[in-house]
Amino acid sequence: MSDFRRWTKTRFQEIASHEFLSFSHWRRRILFWTGAVVVGLSAVFFAKAADYAFALFGRVASHGWWVPLLITPTIFALLCWLTQGALKATRGSGIPQAMAALKIEDEAFRARLLSLKVSIGKMALTLAALLGGASVGREGPTVHVGAGLLYSMGRRFGFDDPTAAGRFILAGSAAGLAAAFNTPLAGVVFAIEEMSGTFEHRMSGTLLTAVIVAGVVSLGVVGNYAYFGDITAALPLGNAWIAVALTGVTGGLAGGIFARLIIPSTFGFRGAMERLRARQPIVFAAACGVALVLLSLLSANGLYGTGYVQARDILQGHGDTGPLFGVLKFLGNIASSWAGIPGGIFSPALAVGAGLGNNIAQLIPGADSSAVVLLGMAAYLAGVTQAPLTAAVISLELTSNRQMALPIMAACLLARAVSGIFCRVPVYKALANNLIEGYEAERKAALPEESAEKPASP
């Protein structure tokens, strides 16, 4: 009988200690789910606010061609000034900040990049950039905000262990992308391919749940929709597959050059631009704003904002952006990136790809124009990010199109290979490495001071 009691007690302890019944694990799950809801609601608010901000700019800019010449450089200069100090982490896309914070398990470094103040500032300043007509997107910033919100919530409720905090950052990033584009599968692939490079088995269920919850919140508020509408384009086997080769090479070439141009460097033309910005950063940002306005005057529909409307119109076959839209949007995106203001590159990259794809479609009369445009969007995004899986899944989910799966994956893989010739390190990884190098330099510089403060050994 005693043996039976011992056996029963042992089995009971094993069941009670099981992860499914663990209080701490359930506490973490509930916090993840709550955080995912917050991220989803924040993404929806951010999207609505971004549309309103850019629409307001459009109404003001319609009063004359000279109006953006006053507004855009001023906003660029103001944002550059505002991000000189504590809000420096709000600059750029935000994805490199999340990647760097995931890699460096230092609480002070992570808090500097992902604090609640940075998350709120990122959202507010990106909206200000769109209010000034900047050629930036909100999807990268939404990833930054999602990572910051879940990280801050985790710390607030006691999950400040470096490994646990990293899980919150990863889940917040994936949930942010899923909610921003309404693409849950892309959120998971993005977390694997871009953010972590690996996929911890124990994290899989939590990550998927966070993505699903954020996606459900987005669906509940704005409905079940495809970002660019339902596109029924198809590309049959045959001569039309020439489009895969043309879009893959063109997207990879243009994407690799773009990535190379926005990564800080001390050499060549990029190094010269960096030195100019270092001398007079605010004046340089204003000059970038002027360049964007002047480029926009050459475009039929302007280059301001995310480029979502132009990309959608081109994709649906009733756009009137002009033959140079892709090239001009490419240059406008560079001007906005060089200014160092908050804002992402996802949506603007899709717009560039749509413009380039439309140009390629004119060279292949027998191919479906919408199919070639979709290939161009996917290939250019893959060329910029060098993340072919993420680019392919995003492109498929954005258009609810499954017929183009093989051509899109082929174009993305080709674009990734071509892009790597011009830019050896993927753009987000290179920008994250710059943040990490800055942290390492600060840490090394602080070591002599710490040593000097210690009393000498007797």
Side-chain angles (χ1 to χ4, degrees):
M1 189 68 180
S2 58
D3 291 340
F4 177 74
R5 286 202 190 103
R6 253 194 318 271
W7 180 86
T8 305
K9 183 179 180 181
T10 303
R11 298 288 79 78
F12 180 79
Q13 289 174 342
E14 289 176 356
I15 293 171
S17 63
H18 193 275
E19 183 177 320
F20 184 77
L21 298 176
S22 169
F23 173 76
S24 62
H25 282 89
W26 271 105
R27 183 164 164 262
R28 187 179 67 184
R29 289 190 187 101
I30 292 171
L31 186 58
F32 264 115
W33 298 339
T34 306
V37 171
V38 173
V39 171
L41 291 174
S42 300
V44 172
F45 168 78
F46 197 8
K48 298 293 184 184
D51 290 342
Y52 177 80
F54 184 61
L56 183 58
F57 168 79
R59 287 198 295 272
V60 175
S62 65
H63 288 86
W65 64 268
W66 50 270
V67 175
L69 205 54
L70 299 176
I71 296 176
T72 303
T74 302
I75 293 292
F76 275 41
L78 178 62
L79 289 173
C80 181
W81 177 72
L82 288 172
T83 57
Q84 292 291 312
L87 292 177
K88 187 176 181 180
T90 63
R91 290 180 177 177
S93 161
I95 293 176
Q97 287 88 330
M99 291 175 69
L102 191 62
K103 188 170 183 180
I104 299 296
E105 296 184 344
D106 181 270
E107 186 175 337
F109 179 70
R110 284 176 164 176
R112 188 197 312 171
L113 298 180
L114 300 177
S115 69
L116 194 58
K117 178 174 70 174
V118 169
S119 297
I120 295 172
K122 184 72 169 189
M123 193 178 292
L125 296 182
T126 302
L127 293 176
L130 290 170
L131 190 61
S135 182
V136 296
R138 59 171 173 80
E139 291 76 21
T142 305
V143 171
H144 193 182
V145 170
L149 288 176
L150 245 69
Y151 170 72
S152 298
M153 290 179 68
R155 287 187 63 198
R156 172 66 181 81
F157 289 95
F159 292 96
D160 48 7
D161 173 75
T163 302
R167 291 171 179 164
F168 278 92
I169 294 170
L170 182 60
S173 301
L177 185 78
F181 275 124
N182 192 34
T183 52
L185 182 57
V188 177
V189 175
F190 171 76
I192 299 171
E193 187 176 38
E194 277 282 31
M195 290 299 300
S196 65
T198 59
F199 199 43
E200 185 184 343
H201 177 70
R202 289 181 59 195
M203 183 59 188
S204 60
T206 305
L207 175 63
L208 286 169
T209 304
V211 169
I212 290 168
V213 171
V216 167
V217 171
S218 177
L219 288 174
V221 177
V222 298
N224 189 9
Y225 72 99
Y227 194 79
F228 285 116
D230 294 334
I231 305 298
T232 57
L235 196 65
L237 289 171
N239 291 335
W241 266 64
I242 297 173
V244 171
L246 290 177
T247 54
V249 172
T250 303
L253 173 63
I257 292 173
F258 175 82
R260 186 68 178 268
L261 287 174
I262 67 171
I263 296 172
S265 173
T266 56
F267 304 102
F269 176 72
R270 188 67 181 96
M273 292 295 104
E274 281 296 313
R275 288 189 288 274
L276 281 175
R277 183 164 69 174
R279 289 177 196 146
Q280 293 289 338
I282 296 175
V283 174
F284 184 84
C288 289
V290 172
L292 176 61
V293 175
L294 296 178
L295 288 167
S296 289
L297 294 176
L298 302 176
S299 174
N301 293 55
L303 308 175
Y304 305 112
T306 63
Y308 162 77
V309 174
Q310 293 94 326
R312 182 197 61 197
D313 289 346
I314 294 172
L315 192 56
Q316 295 178 353
H318 49 74
D320 186 24
T321 55
L324 295 178
F325 174 74
V327 175
L328 293 173
K329 186 66 174 175
F330 174 91
L331 297 173
N333 293 348
I334 289 176
S336 296
S337 296
W338 280 358
I341 61 176
I345 61 176
F346 262 109
S347 288
L350 291 170
V352 172
L356 296 177
N358 193 39
N359 293 338
I360 293 172
Q362 309 307 314
L363 304 176
I364 314 173
D368 186 328
S369 177
S370 295
V372 180
V373 170
L374 182 54
L375 284 177
M377 294 167 65
Y380 181 74
L381 183 60
V384 170
T385 62
Q386 294 190 21
L389 281 177
T390 302
V393 173
I394 283 179
S395 301
L396 290 169
E397 287 194 289
L398 290 183
T399 56
S400 295
N401 188 313
R402 301 296 179 266
Q403 301 178 64
M404 290 287 294
L406 287 177
I408 283 177
M409 286 190 286
C412 287
L413 286 173
L414 181 57
R416 166 65 179 88
V418 174
S419 175
I421 298 173
F422 297 91
C423 186
R424 297 295 181 88
V425 182
V427 63
Y428 290 136
K429 183 178 181 182
L431 294 173
N433 287 342
N434 285 342
L435 294 171
I436 293 170
E437 288 170 6
Y439 160 77
E440 296 289 352
E442 290 178 8
R443 194 168 64 88
K444 289 178 181 177
L447 287 178
E449 297 178 7
E450 293 174 1
S451 301
E453 290 175 2
K454 293 179 181 179
S457 300

